[in-house]
Amino acid sequence: MINYLRAEIYRLSRKKSLFVFLALAALGYLLVAVMRSGSLGAESILGDASFFILLPPVVGGVLFAAIYTDDLGSKNLSTLVGFGLSKVKIVIAKLVLALLLTALIFGLVPLLSYVFYAVLGFPASGETLGAIYLSLLKYYLLSVVFMALGAVVVYGIQRSAASIVTYVVLAFGVVGQLLGLLLGADFVNDFLPNATSYLASNLASQLYTALAGGDGSVLGAGIGLAIYLAAALVVSAVVFNKKEMEF
Amino acid sequence: MTHSLTKKYKDFLALDSVSLEIREGDIYGLIGRNGAGKTTLFKCVMGLAKITAGAVEINGAKNGLNSARRQIGFMINPSFFPYLDPRQNLEYLARVKGVRKSGEVERLLKLVGLHGVKKPFKAFSLGMKQRLGIAGALLGSPPIVVLDEPINGLDPEGIADMRAVIKNTNRETGTTFIVSSHILSELDLVATRFGFIEAGVLVRDITHKDLHEQTKKSLIIEVNDVARAQKLLKTKLNISAEVSDNQLFLKSHLDQPQQIAKTLVGGGLELYRLQRQEMTLEEYFMKLVGGHND
């Protein structure tokens, strides 16, 4: 599995289009930061954090495609299985890669902001930077949960377009909102308890609130999100094992 | 080795109890029409398709085949990452396979004639893709290499190059090759054994030598005096020869060309040509599977 992770890191580090996209996204982020307010100050960096909501669908989507769906176009999953890699190890390694790469890329965003504002003469305090990273954690966790769920389609259907659409629909909150309406509806709650608090987006918000010193349990929300990842991992492995590989 | 390997896709029987033994050091030519089951057989061996019944055995292992499969290099429809160049694609595979041998990627790129090529895989011609696929299969010098239609899309020079790569690698390292191809005359030049597969059934498994014993058709003789030669063969060797277009055709004694030549020359005839005529591999295949040779 380590060999495979090394190979994937090598591949992604040579994917020029990924770096071009990230550079353009960073540039766009800074341009919007400048255009957003006429007056830049020490608190602007906190305001910019509201743009983090775009990280899961936009940056997360590109990372999802780079990590997962490149394999489909190049039929690399068949190559890997043919070379004797177990399907379970492939599924686990991909999720580990998604966790690491998303953490790395997302983690750079506050640093980018910090440097930008520091150059303008408004260096953020450690406390401010901590608050930004806490806010980022929520979107990071949501992104990796959505990637893990999107991966089920990658392994089960093995079609790039369907996989990316699934991820984007999840990341824009479409599925979450529909499920929220359904699970919170009176006719459902007549025979089922209201389960909206167990939706991934709500669990991520609960975790953020609890870590920020508010109500809620860090452990409970953390376990809830971990169950999402574990369940997606298990389902991915099962559907992948059942799937015939195509050349 | 496969034991009564059977593969069904719903109601379609893709492989029907195929028992195949490939010996160490063989260059095994797998021959069959489109849809005969060649690629399905490869997919079952490589673990890409679930086996309906029977078993696959690799180097004595029937269970835990994933580790045995690491000893196999394969190329089935060469596919690589489109944005990586050939060296980067092989470096990727080298990492996946845990190949740490210094210079291995460069050696293979030189071997298949892609050394120095910087353009990405998406800009490759079919022939270049095939070459890279073969390099990927040979990466890490696996003891077994599976190549599905390796010369598809190659120009004549490329075909000769690939033939040399397969033969030299087999001779120098003892690598076992399993090769399928539609270009049967080409397969005839490299394979040491053949398997003929038709409608999912292995209809014949035969060595190169035995195949050529079976494909002998006649001896063609050209001499300065056909009538005298015919008489000489009858009286001295009791061989009946047919005459056509000033040539003699022998349907028997095909293994005695030296004795025949000696008799003719010893009888004072000038011998211009003595050639054994054989069925081509294509003719043999068509005869075997009952197809039509257009």
Side-chain angles (χ1 to χ4, degrees):
Chain A
M1 195 161 82
I2 299 296
N3 283 339
Y4 176 47
L5 275 172
R6 285 179 63 234
E8 284 290 278
I9 291 165
Y10 175 87
R11 169 177 75 83
L12 291 168
S13 69
R14 264 91 184 154
K15 188 171 164 66
K16 286 178 198 155
S17 61
L18 178 63
F19 292 106
V20 170
F21 168 80
L22 291 174
L24 288 175
L27 189 66
Y29 175 75
L30 295 179
L31 279 175
V32 171
V34 171
M35 292 161 64
R36 188 181 62 85
S37 165
S39 60
L40 290 170
E43 297 304 310
S44 299
I45 190 169
L46 275 173
D48 290 349
S50 61
F51 291 117
F52 289 173
I53 196 168
L54 290 174
L55 283 175
V58 180
V59 179
V62 171
L63 293 180
F64 175 77
I67 294 168
Y68 285 101
T69 62
D70 277 7
D71 283 318
L72 300 177
S74 61
K75 301 191 187 298
N76 192 49
L77 291 177
S78 299
T79 305
L80 298 172
V81 173
F83 281 146
L85 261 76
S86 90
K87 289 179 176 176
V88 173
K89 281 185 181 173
I90 293 172
V91 171
I92 294 171
K94 281 285 186 189
L95 185 59
V96 169
L97 187 68
L99 288 165
L100 293 176
L101 188 67
T102 310
L104 177 71
I105 302 299
F106 280 24
L108 289 174
V109 178
L111 289 180
L112 178 75
S113 287
Y114 177 83
V115 170
F116 174 67
Y117 284 102
V119 168
L120 293 176
F122 308 111
S125 65
E127 194 180 345
T128 303
L129 209 54
I132 291 169
Y133 267 106
L134 189 58
S135 171
L136 190 75
L137 179 68
K138 174 182 163 183
Y139 298 106
Y140 165 71
L141 291 171
L142 275 178
S143 295
V144 290
V145 164
F146 294 149
M147 283 185 196
L149 293 171
V152 175
V153 179
V154 171
Y155 298 118
I157 298 177
Q158 297 190 9
R159 294 283 179 272
S160 301
S163 308
I164 291 171
V165 166
T166 302
Y167 175 83
V168 170
V169 166
L170 285 166
F172 270 114
V174 178
V175 176
Q177 285 178 20
L178 288 174
L179 281 175
L181 286 172
L182 185 70
L183 294 172
D186 289 341
F187 73 93
V188 174
N189 294 147
D190 286 344
F191 55 93
L192 278 179
N194 190 327
T196 49
S197 60
Y198 298 109
L199 291 172
S201 52
N202 289 339
L203 286 170
S205 295
Q206 288 165 35
L207 185 73
Y208 168 75
T209 307
L211 284 171
D215 292 337
S217 158
V218 173
L219 191 64
I223 289 173
L225 290 169
I227 288 172
Y228 269 97
L229 287 178
L233 201 67
V234 170
V235 176
S236 291
V238 170
V239 297
F240 195 20
N241 268 320
K242 286 189 174 176
K243 181 77 180 172
E244 297 268 343
M245 307 297 292
E246 295 298 332
F247 278 102
Chain B
M1 183 187 283
T2 64
H3 302 275
S4 303
L5 189 64
T6 300
K7 173 65 187 174
K8 265 186 172 180
Y9 291 103
K10 293 182 181 167
D11 294 331
F12 176 67
L13 190 60
L15 291 176
D16 186 2
S17 198
V18 173
S19 292
L20 185 69
E21 185 182 358
I22 296 163
R23 297 182 186 98
E24 198 177 333
D26 273 350
I27 300 178
Y28 194 93
L30 192 62
I31 297 168
R33 299 184 230 234
N34 284 338
K38 303 185 298 294
T39 304
T40 303
L41 179 65
F42 288 154
K43 283 171 72 174
C44 288
V45 170
M46 302 312 300
L48 301 168
K50 286 198 187 308
I51 294 166
T52 308
V56 171
E57 184 181 332
I58 302 169
N59 282 349
K62 281 187 187 172
N63 298 309
L65 286 177
N66 273 345
S67 58
R69 287 190 181 107
R70 285 179 207 131
Q71 299 172 42
I72 303 180
F74 74 100
M75 184 201 77
I76 306 175
N77 276 353
S79 299
F80 292 89
F81 290 107
Y83 45 84
L84 298 183
D85 68 28
R87 190 182 63 75
Q88 290 169 334
N89 267 308
L90 288 187
E91 289 284 0
Y92 174 85
L93 283 185
R95 281 163 175 78
V96 170
K97 293 173 98 173
V99 176
R100 291 188 168 80
K101 196 172 153 191
S102 169
E104 175 71 347
V105 166
E106 296 303 317
R107 177 185 77 82
L108 288 167
L109 287 172
K110 282 178 187 162
L111 190 71
V112 299
L114 289 176
H115 190 253
V117 175
K118 298 287 181 200
K119 59 183 173 182
F121 183 72
K122 64 185 170 194
F124 273 26
S125 66
L126 180 58
M128 291 170 84
K129 288 177 180 175
Q130 292 289 111
R131 286 167 182 268
L132 187 59
I134 291 166
L138 294 173
L139 190 67
S141 304
I144 304 168
V145 174
V146 173
L147 302 173
D148 190 19
E149 302 287 350
I151 55 175
N152 258 7
L154 292 180
D155 56 25
E157 189 187 355
I159 291 173
D161 288 348
M162 287 312 116
R163 189 195 313 142
V165 165
I166 293 170
K167 289 185 100 162
N168 292 342
T169 307
N170 173 262
R171 190 178 59 243
E172 289 163 13
T173 63
T175 303
T176 305
F177 281 88
I178 308 164
V179 186
S180 78
S181 178
H182 284 106
I183 305 174
L184 303 188
S185 56
E186 190 54 42
L187 210 50
D188 195 24
L189 292 174
V190 291
T192 56
R193 286 178 69 85
F194 297 93
F196 293 87
I197 193 165
E198 172 66 5
V201 176
L202 186 72
V203 290
R204 184 73 44 96
D205 178 61
I206 191 168
T207 65
H208 187 273
K209 190 180 168 209
D210 289 344
L211 176 74
H212 283 269
E213 284 299 316
Q214 292 190 17
T215 54
K216 286 175 197 164
K217 287 204 300 195
S218 59
L219 278 179
I220 304 171
I221 301 168
E222 283 180 23
V223 287
N224 57 334
D225 187 339
V226 174
R228 222 177 105 212
Q230 192 180 25
K231 196 174 171 186
L232 202 60
L233 289 173
K234 186 68 189 171
T235 52
K236 297 269 185 187
L237 298 173
N238 195 25
I239 298 173
S240 299
E242 292 171 20
V243 179
S244 174
D245 290 340
N246 222 23
Q247 290 177 326
L248 286 169
F249 288 87
L250 271 61
K251 298 286 184 190
S252 63
H253 298 75
L254 305 182
D255 293 329
Q256 298 166 21
Q258 286 173 320
Q259 197 182 352
I260 290 166
K262 205 172 163 184
T263 304
L264 294 173
V265 174
L269 288 161
E270 289 176 25
L271 181 60
Y272 303 139
R273 180 183 174 203
L274 176 58
Q275 185 187 9
R276 190 158 70 186
Q277 195 185 36
E278 293 184 358
M279 266 189 273
T280 63
L281 190 54
E282 190 176 88
E283 286 169 333
Y284 181 82
F285 171 69
M286 292 300 178
K287 190 178 162 195
L288 196 66
V289 302
H292 302 286
N293 191 352
D294 300 323

